[in-house]
Amino acid sequence: MEQIYTYGNYLKNKFGVKVHKVGINISGFTCPNIDGTVAKGGCTFCENDSFSASTDAVVELKGFHLNLESKENPFLQKQLKQLELQFDAISKRQTREYGAKKFLVYFQSFTNTYAPFETLKALYEKALSFDNVVGLSIGTRSDSITQETLAYLSDLAKDKEIWIEFGIQSVYDETLEKINRGHDSENVKEWIIKSKEAGLNVCGHLIFGLPGETQEMMLETSKAAYSWGIDSVKYHPLYVVKRTALANEFNRGEFTPISEQEYLDVLVKSLLMKPKNVNVQRVTAGIDDDSLLAPKWCRNKNQQIKNINAALKKVGLKY
């Protein structure tokens, strides 16, 4: 059985110890397809209210949102404090429960380059100042990063572990339009290539089961993402949560979620065509609370992993 090359393997090989990502949610961040810059409402599958920070420090910042054109940020000190509180709490738990020795600060929710450069610089440098932090992982969109920010991250990458995570989702523009993505596939390709040329590590997020997509289309997305030079990949099934545009489509009978067998089939095929050097950060996703409408198989993550490993075993792989 061949072990799939995971992100954990990559980090352990590079740093010699267990490295964990500390997921951080900074209030004041949003997306250009939520705030009206390119669209309204966000991606059809996104429940915007679920992206809220996990500390009380965020309460005072309700209704405050940054974008690339913001001239000032009166709440920067509160954001920096929020970053510090979250990192402290989560890193201590990861050390205690998982034996983590070093950390990557993962700017996770919303679009984490979609703010004035000075705000980004202050947050990133604060994160890198914490004990045992070896680098950053920054979740963003390809239409929300500037050349100035890219050049700055490129400079950081000379002696820090800097990752940028782009939501690719699909390489089909008709699909991106259906999900209200707000940019086209060429834009993602352009900024992934620019990020690689700048010396950054790139993780691409792929979603299987998007509206109207066939398995062939999903595999074409995987093939294209690999060809653009991504270093890491996250695979997600599309699931439906309440209070989203996709939930409305599902309730009207206009959207049928991917079945578990279909997902397993396309996931295995995608993994088999994956270049050996591309590590895997995630093979599935789901949510175990009453916000999940469908598919029900996305509720139990442990069972999903068991079923994925059973499918992989048939082709000589294990996760």
Side-chain angles (χ1 to χ4, degrees):
M1 302 294 288
E2 182 185 346
Q3 173 72 52
I4 288 170
Y5 182 39
T6 67
Y7 191 55
N9 297 148
Y10 163 81
L11 291 171
K12 184 72 182 290
N13 291 343
K14 181 160 188 178
F15 294 99
V17 295
K18 193 173 282 190
V19 181
H20 271 243
K21 287 172 80 173
V22 178
I24 299 292
N25 306 319
I26 300 295
S27 63
F29 280 77
T30 183
C31 290
N33 69 335
I34 290 175
D35 70 8
T37 303
V38 298
K40 285 275 193 184
C43 296
T44 59
F45 51 78
C46 179
E47 207 289 275
N48 302 326
D49 290 340
S50 68
F51 290 111
S52 58
S54 56
T55 71
D56 292 338
V58 71
V59 174
E60 297 174 66
L61 309 189
K62 289 280 187 182
F64 164 66
H65 295 109
L66 296 164
N67 59 50
L68 294 177
E69 305 305 320
S70 299
K71 299 301 181 194
E72 57 182 28
N73 179 0
F75 295 113
L76 178 58
Q77 291 308 311
K78 292 184 185 296
Q79 290 177 315
L80 291 168
K81 187 63 178 175
Q82 186 183 330
L83 168 61
E84 185 178 352
L85 290 170
Q86 289 183 74
F87 177 80
D88 186 59
I90 297 167
S91 63
K92 282 179 177 172
R93 178 172 57 80
Q94 290 179 339
T95 299
R96 185 174 63 249
E97 296 181 10
Y98 307 113
K101 301 291 186 189
K102 294 186 184 297
F103 305 95
L104 282 172
V105 178
Y106 177 26
F107 290 90
Q108 183 173 14
S109 297
F110 289 114
T111 305
N112 294 281
T113 57
Y114 191 57
F117 177 69
E118 291 304 323
T119 291
L120 300 176
K121 191 167 179 283
L123 287 165
Y124 298 162
E125 289 180 4
K126 177 77 168 179
L128 289 169
S129 76
F130 298 144
D131 287 345
N132 297 312
V133 166
V134 296
L136 309 173
S137 193
I138 301 163
T140 192
R141 291 164 51 98
S142 58
D143 61 354
S144 303
I145 183 166
T146 65
Q147 286 289 355
E148 183 180 31
T149 298
L150 192 66
Y152 169 71
L153 293 175
S154 177
D155 196 50
L156 287 182
K158 290 170 184 171
D159 57 9
K160 296 292 183 181
E161 181 78 6
I162 306 296
W163 284 81
I164 190 159
E165 301 196 22
F166 288 114
I168 298 170
Q169 324 308 15
S170 172
V171 294
Y172 290 89
D173 288 344
E174 61 266 36
T175 300
L176 297 179
E177 197 169 326
K178 280 180 191 172
I179 64 173
N180 197 41
R181 186 67 188 169
H183 63 68
D184 60 15
S185 177
E186 190 59 33
N187 182 258
V188 189
K189 177 182 178 181
E190 175 190 349
W191 282 92
I192 285 177
I193 291 169
K194 281 182 177 178
S195 298
K196 289 303 303 166
E197 288 172 347
L200 304 183
N201 299 300
V202 175
C203 176
H205 294 224
L206 309 181
I207 297 180
F208 297 148
L210 288 164
E213 291 215 337
T214 64
Q215 184 177 114
E216 288 70 28
M217 293 169 76
M218 299 174 214
L219 292 173
E220 277 301 311
T221 290
S222 298
K223 193 184 299 180
Y226 302 148
S227 75
W228 297 341
I230 62 172
D231 303 280
S232 187
V233 62
K234 289 183 178 179
Y235 305 101
H236 306 251
L238 182 61
Y239 56 89
V240 187
V241 294
K242 294 175 183 175
R243 298 182 300 278
T244 62
L246 188 64
N248 296 334
E249 293 173 29
F250 173 73
N251 288 329
R252 292 194 300 264
E254 296 167 5
F255 173 69
T256 302
I258 192 169
S259 71
E260 186 169 23
Q261 191 51 54
E262 288 174 304
Y263 183 74
L264 291 171
D265 195 35
V266 73
L267 176 67
V268 169
K269 287 174 180 172
S270 187
L271 285 165
L272 286 171
M273 68 167 67
K274 179 187 69 65
K276 297 290 186 188
N277 65 296
V278 176
N279 63 66
V280 178
Q281 293 199 37
R282 177 185 284 275
V283 289
T284 190
I287 187 166
D288 187 15
D289 62 38
D290 65 2
S291 68
L292 179 69
L293 289 178
K296 297 303 183 188
W297 62 266
C298 282
R299 188 174 296 281
N300 188 329
K301 184 79 175 289
N302 290 334
Q303 190 59 51
Q304 286 186 67
I305 295 296
K306 283 181 186 173
N307 294 344
I308 286 167
N309 267 319
L312 289 171
K313 187 176 182 181
K314 295 174 185 174
V315 295
L317 297 175
K318 64 178 179 177
Y319 177 70

